[in-house]
Amino acid sequence: MTIKDKHLRGLLCLVILVLGMFLVPAASANSSSTIPSLPNAFEGSLKGDAAQAVPDS
């Protein structure tokens, strides 16, 4: 590998990094969707009439 190849590889990595820094935030800012909230998870025991309780599906 020559010095020219090393500089070309470094320059290519730098260009990709700079493009990524400018394009990724712009693409994510344009999306109008919001991150959905996490579903509820409840734990505990059932008190009362267990015969009428609905099983998990």
Side-chain angles (χ1 to χ4, degrees), residues 44-54:
S45 60
L46 180 64
K47 295 182 180 180
D49 190 9
Q52 295 182 7
V54 180

Side-chain angles (χ1 to χ4, degrees), residues 23-52:
L23 294 179
V24 170
S28 63
N30 289 337
S31 65
S32 62
S33 64
T34 59
I35 299 173
S37 62
L38 295 175
N40 294 328
F42 301 102
E43 295 181 17
S45 60
L46 180 64
K47 295 182 180 180
D49 190 9
Q52 295 182 7

Side-chain angles (χ1 to χ4, degrees), residues 6 11 14-16 18 23 29-30 33 38 45 54-55 57:
K6 288 181 183 180
L11 181 63
L14 183 64
V15 167
I16 291 172
V18 169
L23 294 179
N30 289 337
S33 64
L38 295 175
S45 60
V54 180
S57 56

